[in-house]
Amino acid sequence: MKSFLVRKMLKLKIEIKRKDMYKKAEYLGFTHPLVVKSSQELDMLLNTYFDQAV
């Protein structure tokens, strides 16, 4: 049960981070340091999410 809730929370965080990253990229460009940082944070969330699946 705990694993299910953890994955659900991670999915929510991933969606929020993804939307945030795209908004930043729209205004700053995809190579701006803030966008790159958001992308790296999103990568970490995705890695955590998929590690939970194994």
Side-chain angles (χ1 to χ4, degrees):
M1 181 67 166
K2 181 181 176 187
S3 177
F4 172 77
L5 293 175
V6 169
R7 286 176 53 86
K8 192 147 179 105
M9 284 300 297
L10 279 169
K11 279 178 93 171
L12 179 61
K13 288 180 181 181
I14 287 167
E15 278 304 306
I16 291 169
K17 181 57 71 177
R18 183 184 62 79
K19 288 177 184 178
D20 176 61
M21 182 187 72
Y22 278 117
K23 277 189 177 185
K24 287 178 183 175
E26 185 179 342
Y27 293 103
L28 303 171
F30 281 102
T31 58
H32 191 279
L34 290 175
V35 178
V36 172
K37 184 175 186 236
S38 287
S39 176
Q40 291 169 339
E41 292 169 353
L42 177 58
D43 287 344
M44 287 192 310
L45 286 169
L46 288 166
N47 288 336
T48 302
Y49 180 80
F50 288 112
D51 284 345
Q52 293 285 325
V54 175

